[in-house]
Amino acid sequence: MTADLFETTLFQYRDKTIFNKARDLAFDYMDTIHQAAPEQERLVFPPPESLSGLEVFDEPFPETCGDTDAILDLLHTHGSPATVAQTGGRYFGFVNGSAFPVALAAKWLADVWDQNAAMNATSPIAAKLEQVCETWLKDLFGLPETTAAGFVSGTSAATFSGLAAARNQTLSNMGWDIRKKGLFNAPRPRIILGDQAHSTVFKALSLIGFGMDDLERVPCDSQGRMRTDRLPEIDETCIVIAQAGNVNTGAFDPLEEICSLAGDAWVHVDGAFGLWAAGSPDYAPLVRGMEKADSWSVDAHKTLNTPYDCGIILCRHPGALVSALQNSGDYIIYGDQRDPMLYTPEMSRRARGIDLWATMKFLGQSGIRALVNRLCANAKAMGQKLKDQGFTLHNEVVFNQVLVACSDETTTRSMLARLQEDGTCWCGGSVWEGKTAIRVSVCSWATTEEDIERSVRAFAEARDKAVAGQ
Ligand SMILES: Cc1ncc(COP(=O)(O)O)c(C=O)c1O
């Protein structure tokens, strides 16, 4: 086999049987989620027997070449059942979006292109579509003309990039050239952030050299919004990190006030899912004033429902971003046009701007408005119906997150375990004000009224079983 390995490979590109097979298997998979008869429906989270099927992958690294057909069969037979059905309408875990078919289809095409989005020199089409997305995003979010966008794997990477730019700029304000002198012995910028900042903000801060002792944490109100009356004095030696969309309650920090109190300090906004509020006049007031910040991180794979992985760092000061993520080498070809790798931590990466472009081109401004409104309306309906069923609603449902609990801690925990086991829908748990709560994150375009009805019924049944000790 090894002798004809490359001949067989060339044949596969010409003959396409393997690609047709992958397409057929993918279609079978889609049908289990989007048009299965009720008795054939799969559970949203894989049951134990599907998970135990994963043991088939535990084998020693093969000595010889594998059979391509068998590889795809193995993936479909044991891999597909062990997936989480998050492209459907009843997955409410984390803040995981579904994917629009056109985005997935564009990604398939782009997968075949297999582009390296580093530079114009490695992929003119990837560079072009990122430049178009940059312009459209600035327009949608109402950001300053100077704003540059970097297309990264997710908000974690976007926040890391934005805060690296903030750190370099702030140190420069303090008379320290980090690129020349490094971070050791540098003066210390003050980091000001809400008590409810997302865990990935702390990770990003630690990656760029800040420890817990460097942080000034601002208390939040009962919904998780930063209390501006508790902000410390701020000057140009500070980096302020605000949040557009709390992962538990969906609440938004008062961005306008924070930006105005921050004066000359760098303000970064973590808007992983919430920044998209700007796309609907009904929800745009939640992000009022956000354009006054200096950098913003956001995910398209959340609210916008692009496929994974699709995060974006937007930065009003392209020079600071490029300086933080700079990379040079004799063989690197920077052209006259925008080169994607200038704005991202990575050099080589997939051309994620293509699926983002396809999603934005498909939805247009009116589609994004409809999508944001739909997710939020569904979340409100879910919250109301759960309340009607006797659940305690912990948050004002201002966006697409709903936080609920049963009458006591033990019932909440045991109800959640039953709900997850039942598999009609899937929700995760969290802790709010010291108590276990259930997060319902409505992030899929595919969620229908019926999905909500069925999920609410599953909640009530799980609670009743928990109370009855079954
Ligand atoms: C507010 C917030 N920030 C950051 C993140 C992390 O995003 P990612 O998983 O895309 O890195 C999340 C994820 O849910 C989030 O809700």
Side-chain angles (χ1 to χ4, degrees):
M1 167 75 176
T2 317
D4 3 293
L5 171 62
F6 303 107
E7 263 172 51
T8 315
T9 303
L10 177 61
F11 178 74
Q12 283 167 347
Y13 264 118
R14 290 180 173 161
D15 152 86
K16 303 181 185 64
T17 306
I18 186 171
F19 297 111
N20 279 321
K21 180 176 176 103
R23 188 198 56 185
D24 291 346
L25 296 178
F27 288 171
D28 281 354
Y29 177 76
M30 283 178 193
D31 289 345
T32 65
I33 296 176
H34 294 284
Q35 58 178 23
E39 65 282 2
Q40 287 164 341
E41 244 180 24
R42 52 161 294 164
L43 303 185
V44 174
F45 192 86
E49 56 277 20
S50 300
L51 297 179
S52 60
L54 289 174
E55 283 165 14
V56 74
F57 294 105
D58 292 324
E59 56 168 342
F61 181 35
E63 164 61 29
T64 54
C65 294
D67 174 71
T68 49
D69 251 22
I71 289 171
L72 288 187
D73 282 333
L74 198 59
L75 263 185
H76 187 58
T77 310
H78 298 284
S80 294
T83 57
V84 170
Q86 70 170 33
T87 60
R90 277 174 278 109
Y91 184 78
F92 304 111
F94 304 92
V95 194
N96 290 3
S98 174
F100 280 106
V102 66
L104 217 43
K107 181 166 181 281
W108 278 12
L109 180 57
D111 277 348
V112 174
W113 294 349
D114 191 27
Q115 298 293 280
N116 178 352
M119 296 165 264
N120 277 281
T122 55
S123 179
I125 178 64
K128 180 71 200 170
L129 292 182
E130 287 197 3
Q131 175 238 306
V132 172
C133 287
E134 182 182 78
T135 307
W136 288 358
L137 288 166
K138 273 194 281 193
D139 203 24
L140 180 82
F141 293 136
L143 301 182
E145 194 42 48
T146 55
T147 304
F151 297 88
V152 294
S153 55
T155 292
S156 302
T159 302
F160 161 75
S161 307
L163 292 181
R167 176 200 61 186
N168 287 18
Q169 184 58 50
T170 309
L171 282 174
S172 164
N173 299 344
M174 297 167 87
W176 186 267
D177 180 353
I178 186 175
R179 284 187 56 190
K180 186 157 175 282
K181 297 183 178 171
L183 195 55
F184 298 109
N185 302 318
R188 289 163 84 153
R190 290 167 55 214
I191 309 289
I192 297 167
L193 77 177
D195 243 348
Q196 282 284 329
H198 192 266
S199 56
T200 51
V201 170
F202 297 96
K203 182 195 260 197
L205 285 167
S206 106
L207 284 170
I208 61 167
F210 294 100
M212 295 309 260
D213 288 351
D214 293 312
L215 313 184
E216 294 176 34
R217 297 174 68 148
V218 181
C220 291
D221 68 12
S222 66
Q223 294 297 303
R225 291 175 291 239
M226 212 194 285
R227 281 185 53 184
T228 46
D229 61 324
R230 302 290 295 273
L231 273 172
E233 282 298 310
I234 303 176
D235 60 28
E236 73 286 353
T237 67
C238 300
I239 298 171
V240 180
I241 305 166
Q243 182 165 252
N246 177 293
V247 75
N248 284 315
T249 62
F252 290 63
D253 284 344
L255 300 177
E256 181 135 58
E257 228 182 318
I258 291 171
C259 289
S260 109
L261 291 168
D264 291 332
W266 184 296
V267 179
H268 177 83
V269 178
D270 171 3
F273 62 92
L275 217 64
W276 300 103
S280 159
D282 295 345
Y283 294 92
L286 292 169
V287 286
R288 188 177 293 126
M290 77 163 189
E291 69 286 351
K292 300 195 177 84
D294 297 275
S295 54
W296 307 262
S297 36
V298 61
D299 272 326
H301 58 226
K302 291 188 166 59
T303 311
L304 199 67
N305 281 235
T306 66
Y308 280 88
D309 49 6
C310 202
I312 307 144
I313 173 63
L314 294 145
C315 182
R316 164 198 293 274
H317 314 284
L321 188 63
V322 172
S323 136
L325 305 174
Q326 52 88 30
N327 181 2
S328 55
D330 290 339
Y331 75 107
I332 292 174
I333 308 170
Y334 287 129
D336 301 336
Q337 289 157 324
R338 180 189 180 285
D339 280 301
M341 65 178 269
L342 286 169
Y343 308 98
T344 59
E346 319 95 317
M347 181 171 168
S348 301
R349 62 176 169 82
R350 81 175 188 93
R352 50 178 70 95
I354 296 172
D355 12 316
L356 174 59
W357 168 83
T359 310
M360 293 187 80
K361 171 108 175 119
F362 164 65
L363 288 174
Q365 298 183 31
S366 63
I368 293 181
R369 197 180 313 137
L371 174 63
V372 170
N373 289 350
R374 176 178 170 91
L375 300 180
C376 298
N378 279 339
K380 285 197 172 101
M382 187 88 172
Q384 187 55 51
K385 284 174 195 294
L386 287 172
K387 204 170 160 198
D388 295 344
Q389 286 290 334
F391 288 88
T392 307
L393 194 54
H394 277 314
N395 67 326
E396 297 156 20
V397 184
V398 294
F399 203 59
N400 64 340
Q401 305 296 310
V402 186
L403 198 60
V404 294
C406 300
S407 52
D408 64 82
E409 182 88 355
T410 318
T411 315
T412 305
R413 282 210 207 101
S414 113
M415 177 262 154
L416 179 59
R418 282 165 172 80
L419 183 79
Q420 291 178 342
E421 196 186 340
D422 166 68
T424 302
C425 63
W426 199 90
C427 293
S430 190
V431 175
W432 188 248
E433 296 186 326
K435 294 215 175 93
T436 305
I438 299 166
R439 297 184 55 252
V440 190
S441 171
V442 185
C443 219
S444 168
W445 64 269
T447 303
T448 60
E449 270 178 38
E450 197 203 329
D451 287 321
I452 294 192
E453 293 292 345
R454 283 184 62 184
S455 303
V456 170
R457 276 203 300 278
F459 262 72
E461 277 164 29
R463 190 255 330 266
D464 295 347
K465 281 188 187 158
V467 170
Q470 289 167 7

